[in-house]
Amino acid sequence: MLRSHDDKVKELLGRMTTEEKLGQVQQLTWTGDTGPGGGQTKEIEALARAGRLGSVLNLHGAKWTNDLQRLAVEESRLGIPLLFGFDVIHGFWTTFPIPLAQASAFDPAVAETDARVSAAETRSQGVRWTFSPMMDVTNEPRWGRIAESSGEDPYLNAVLAVAKVRGYQGPADGSGLRSGEHVAACAKHFVAYGGAEGGRDYNTVDLSEQRLRNHYLPPFKAALDAGAATVMAAFNTVGGVPAHANSHTMNSILKGEWDFDGFVVSDYTGVMELVAHGYAEDPAHAAELALTHGLDMEMVSTHIADHGAELLDAGRISMERLDDAVTRILRLKYALGLFDDPYTDEAAEIAGPTAEARAAAREAAARSMVLLKNEGGVLPLKPGGTIAVVGPHADSADQHGTWAGPGRLVFDTVSVLDAVRAAAPGADVRHSGGGDPAMAAAAAWAADVTVVVVGEDSAISGEAASRSEIDLPAGQQQLIEAVAATGKPFVVVLVNGRPLTIGGWADRAPAVLEAWHAGIEAGNAVADILFGTVNPGGKLPVSFPRTVGQIPVYYNREATGRPYDEAEKYVSKYLDLPDGPQFVFGHGLSYTTFTTGAPELSRTEIAVDALERGETVEVTVPVANTGDLTGDEVVQLYIHDVAASVVQPVRRLRAFERVTLAPGEERRVRFTLGAEDLGFWTNDPAGTYVLERGRIDVYTGTSSAATVRGSLRLV
Ligand code: GLC
């Protein structure tokens, strides 16, 4: 869709000097907030005046961006506007739940609402490009950036990436990009960043072509099909070649097979890091390899701009490739209306969360929460009697999570304590601050029920925040045990950015609510769930391991030749652990109960060529609310290709639908399976997708542990 601007782009390109072209592929940072080193303010002002700068990140505000834009538009020779970019990952002023929480909602409308609200706030600040959505499939809880992801399943990541692109950009044809409430999206991090060995950030990723294509690439292809205008390269290597100079992923797949017409931006100093990787000899070599292998814009480091002229003279990079990179960047600037309207209306600036935005964030947070356990009817709470609210996160405003926008600095998150007080005005709500187990136990003794709020500070979640142990931080388990020792009813509320190993205390907690880092309205959303104003319906988008030693543990695994069998010794297992994770992908409870029936297939066999012609199989799943409260259930459909030329996962999520049912209500949920759902990519580096004849089992249910199945035969 961006190619429609090529006539204007070509005319402008023809008037640009080499120096101006090298400037367009350069992005500098106003502040050093999101990576190593400091801000580049002085260089930015000088280069903007000289027409030798393409983009600026980490600056927002209509006035401030207008002031800088004037230098580029009114003082430089060609007046090419700057493109302002910012990390708006889950909110600008209005902080929505972290993406991993949004994935738990199993409801793309939640992600799209975040993106739509965020885009309007962001655009009013003079920023027309967000470095979001992040779509790195990952099952690695030690990796801090799991918080930014949509978890361990490629399909769920793809559905949410599409929702975010639609919310940020508007229609897939790009027609929304010129409007005042949309911004360009950025599919990141290309590619396989979520596979970092050991969950240690920036670490090595070594994988097969089939794992690359079946596991890591699908969300990116879906995002680009939805019109994502830009892509950001990943810090890691892919099969020994850094993603910032990986011609296979960027040139062959992204720009070749997928015909991507937008541009690839480096990550923060990612081009410079090619030397540290041991891939480039020096900065000039790094510039040559990155640009030649498909990178189009350099973020913060300046090797392409610094060495581009000499590399051109030496024939080490071609003017054709440089022109292509500049063309891709200018296309987006035209699509965003920057040439016609480079400035932002300062009077129209959105200055903070509106009531509607807060309400949307509160609803998103409640829909994202997962009821992991609820025994003895502890939940929902009655809004009366004596309620103790204890734990280090009970009165904490730190629930925005990693990569929260500027709103986190200005607008407080509602604490759980304040929200419980507001939700239960008739109750005697008592609070013991901090993490003192004895004080928490004393409060629990004196209360009818206790809410224990524990978890992670935002600072130990996100980028450069990998943890080698993923228990609750020090002292919190002791606090839970002290409360449990009172024998009084209690519920644990988790405020965190990753799966945690909670097996050490979960069996002593009657109820556990996974609230995640839930954003600006976190406390109110927790109270909505605790008192039953909202019946929880979220599901886990990632497995919770029993111990760190069990990692990696994920649902879409291979069966192995010796699958687990409790009665057998020589099978794939740990001597000191039961089989499987603490909680499986797709797990989540409700205050009511549901049943789902066996999948009814419209046909039990279908010819491969019929699928290739676009024929499909309809799958109908009956679901019923068998309890006495209205509630949500997420009906999930998985497949297992039982014999394939590339061994297939024992379960692959292919469809899901979150439905709301009244007590006693029954619904028949309908799904469609087509060629894109039933085949897989082989290890062919040129990209071969196959539909193979044979049996495919179809499982339906309310988590990845579903055992109810039908069978389909491809003939
Ligand atoms: C960071 C992150 C990336 C972000 C960029 C700009 O290092 O890896 O996701 O968009 O720098 O802040």
Side-chain angles (χ1 to χ4, degrees):
M1 53 111 175
L2 293 171
R3 286 192 178 91
S4 60
H5 303 281
D6 278 6
D7 290 345
K8 286 178 282 188
V9 167
K10 197 169 180 180
E11 189 281 328
L12 175 57
L13 189 71
R15 291 186 281 127
M16 292 174 74
T17 65
T18 299
E19 202 175 43
E20 287 162 336
K21 293 176 183 177
L22 290 170
Q24 270 311 300
V25 304
Q26 179 68 62
Q27 178 187 64
L28 296 179
T29 184
W30 189 259
T31 67
D33 290 350
T34 60
Q40 299 166 304
T41 312
K42 285 299 164 216
E43 301 93 314
I44 286 171
E45 289 168 340
L47 291 171
R49 280 196 176 89
R52 290 169 46 209
L53 185 61
S55 174
V56 174
L57 76 145
N58 288 331
L59 175 67
H60 68 83
K63 174 180 178 354
W64 309 118
T65 54
N66 283 341
D67 288 353
L68 205 49
Q69 192 66 285
R70 264 184 217 97
L71 303 185
V73 171
E74 297 174 24
E75 295 192 30
S76 77
R77 186 177 78 88
L78 292 173
I80 299 173
L82 297 169
L83 173 58
F84 291 97
F86 208 92
D87 291 283
V88 185
I89 311 301
H90 54 106
F92 187 90
W93 292 133
T94 308
T95 306
F96 279 75
I98 54 172
L100 190 62
Q102 294 185 28
S104 304
F106 276 74
D107 174 5
V110 165
E112 185 167 350
T113 300
D114 163 10
R116 183 173 43 75
V117 170
S118 303
E121 293 179 352
T122 303
R123 182 79 181 236
S124 81
Q125 293 281 317
V127 174
R128 302 196 193 191
W129 179 27
T130 178
F131 306 124
S132 178
M134 186 269 217
M135 52 195 78
D136 300 317
V137 178
T138 188
N139 52 48
E140 181 44 83
R142 291 170 292 183
W143 189 48
R145 302 196 79 163
I146 193 170
E148 285 177 77
S149 80
S150 295
E152 69 194 39
D153 180 74
Y155 176 76
L156 182 59
N157 269 274
V159 167
L160 296 168
V162 168
K164 276 278 173 72
V165 169
R166 197 167 39 229
Y168 288 135
Q169 295 193 173
D173 65 4
S175 57
L177 288 172
R178 298 177 71 88
S179 70
E181 65 265 2
H182 287 298
V183 295
C186 183
K188 73 181 185 182
H189 303 81
F190 197 72
V191 62
Y193 187 15
E197 287 182 359
R200 200 169 77 245
D201 210 348
Y202 318 121
N203 203 8
T204 304
V205 177
D206 198 1
L207 37 66
S208 60
E209 185 73 19
Q210 71 88 10
R211 178 64 63 106
L212 173 68
R213 288 181 177 269
N214 290 309
H215 197 71
Y216 291 104
L217 285 175
F220 288 91
K221 181 63 169 63
L224 296 189
D225 289 347
T230 67
V231 169
M232 182 183 291
F235 284 124
N236 52 283
T237 54
V238 181
V241 178
H244 274 73
N246 194 309
S247 188
H248 177 59
T249 53
M250 288 194 288
N251 282 336
S252 304
I253 296 176
L254 180 70
K255 296 180 176 179
E257 290 176 43
W258 296 354
D259 191 27
F260 176 54
D261 62 357
F263 68 86
V264 181
V265 63
S266 83
D267 203 335
Y268 203 106
T269 64
V271 172
M272 178 182 79
E273 293 166 18
L274 293 175
V275 176
H277 270 295
Y279 186 73
E281 290 170 19
D282 55 37
H285 194 208
E288 172 192 354
L289 293 171
L291 191 68
T292 305
H293 294 173
L295 195 94
D296 300 304
M297 180 183 276
E298 182 171 3
M299 181 191 286
V300 177
S301 56
T302 57
H303 296 344
I304 296 173
D306 294 345
H307 300 282
E310 80 195 65
L311 291 169
L312 285 164
D313 292 347
R316 291 169 60 183
I317 61 174
S318 70
M319 183 58 81
E320 181 191 8
R321 174 73 263 277
L322 178 58
D323 285 349
D324 174 58
V326 176
T327 292
R328 291 168 179 270
I329 293 163
L330 293 178
R331 280 173 179 161
L332 181 57
K333 291 187 175 183
Y334 276 108
L336 285 165
L338 275 168
F339 285 92
D340 302 329
D341 184 12
Y343 301 115
T344 303
D345 179 356
E346 294 173 32
E349 199 174 55
I350 297 173
T354 63
E356 294 76 16
R358 275 188 175 270
R362 178 169 179 167
E363 181 184 1
R367 288 182 75 76
S368 302
M369 293 180 184
V370 184
L371 183 59
L372 298 179
K373 185 181 177 188
N374 185 29
E375 292 171 356
V378 172
L379 292 177
L381 303 179
K382 297 173 183 56
T386 304
I387 302 173
V389 183
V390 303
H393 289 265
D395 192 22
S396 164
D398 176 12
Q399 300 185 69
H400 45 70
T402 184
W403 287 109
R408 76 187 187 286
L409 304 171
V410 184
F411 304 100
D412 270 350
T413 295
V414 179
S415 75
V416 173
L417 176 62
D418 288 347
V420 167
R421 284 189 167 132
D428 173 8
V429 177
R430 302 183 181 180
H431 169 237
S432 88
D436 182 328
M439 288 180 65
W445 273 117
D448 298 315
V449 66
T450 299
V451 179
V452 184
V453 191
V454 290
E456 296 179 309
D457 292 345
S458 299
I460 65 169
S461 175
E463 184 174 357
S466 297
R467 293 179 63 199
S468 68
E469 296 293 345
I470 52 171
D471 298 324
L472 282 170
Q476 296 185 20
Q477 178 165 335
Q478 289 81 344
L479 186 145
I480 294 170
E481 288 167 347
V483 170
T486 68
K488 304 293 283 292
F490 70 100
V491 52
V492 175
V493 176
L494 293 173
V495 175
N496 49 307
R498 57 163 47 88
L500 300 173
T501 41
I502 65 174
W505 52 264
D507 55 357
R508 270 164 279 168
V512 182
L513 175 66
E514 177 52 82
W516 304 113
H517 285 134
I520 195 168
E521 286 289 324
N524 283 331
V526 168
D528 288 342
I529 298 279
L530 292 179
F531 292 102
T533 309
V534 174
N535 187 350
K539 301 284 184 177
L540 291 180
V542 63
S543 305
F544 273 48
R546 295 178 188 276
T547 66
V548 163
Q550 191 180 39
I551 295 170
V553 58
Y554 50 95
Y555 94 90
N556 38 5
R557 68 191 191 287
E558 296 179 2
T560 77
R562 295 191 174 186
Y564 177 83
D565 178 338
E566 194 175 1
E568 288 295 330
K569 172 178 174 52
Y570 296 101
V571 294
S572 186
K573 66 178 174 184
Y574 294 101
L575 293 178
D576 53 353
L577 275 183
D579 184 41
Q582 185 83 35
F583 294 104
V584 298
F585 175 91
H587 170 75
L589 304 177
S590 169
Y591 293 150
T592 185
T593 52
F594 294 92
T595 59
T596 55
E600 298 155 22
L601 277 65
S602 60
R603 53 204 294 184
T604 55
E605 71 174 43
I606 184 166
V608 164
D609 54 8
L611 281 168
E612 286 164 347
R613 286 198 305 272
E615 289 188 32
T616 57
V617 179
E618 275 60 54
V619 181
T620 304
V621 185
V623 57
N625 180 342
T626 52
D628 52 16
L629 286 172
T630 294
D632 287 11
E633 181 55 276
V634 179
V635 181
Q636 301 154 50
L637 184 152
Y638 299 85
I639 66 167
H640 177 212
D641 185 334
V642 298
S645 61
V646 173
V647 170
Q648 291 301 294
V650 295
R651 295 281 190 284
R652 283 177 73 198
L653 182 70
R654 309 314 291 144
F656 63 85
E657 184 177 342
R658 180 166 175 162
V659 295
T660 302
L661 298 180
E665 184 182 356
E666 295 185 12
R667 179 96 49 92
R668 292 168 60 79
V669 178
R670 285 179 172 73
F671 299 116
T672 298
L673 291 175
E676 70 284 357
D677 302 305
L678 297 169
F680 57 86
W681 295 89
T682 69
N683 274 307
D684 176 4
T688 299
Y689 182 81
V690 294
L691 287 159
E692 292 188 339
R693 289 169 178 76
R695 192 182 99 222
I696 291 181
D697 287 339
V698 176
Y699 292 88
T700 54
T702 58
S703 86
S704 58
T707 55
V708 179
R709 80 172 193 212
S711 279
L712 176 66
R713 181 164 290 278
L714 271 56
V715 295

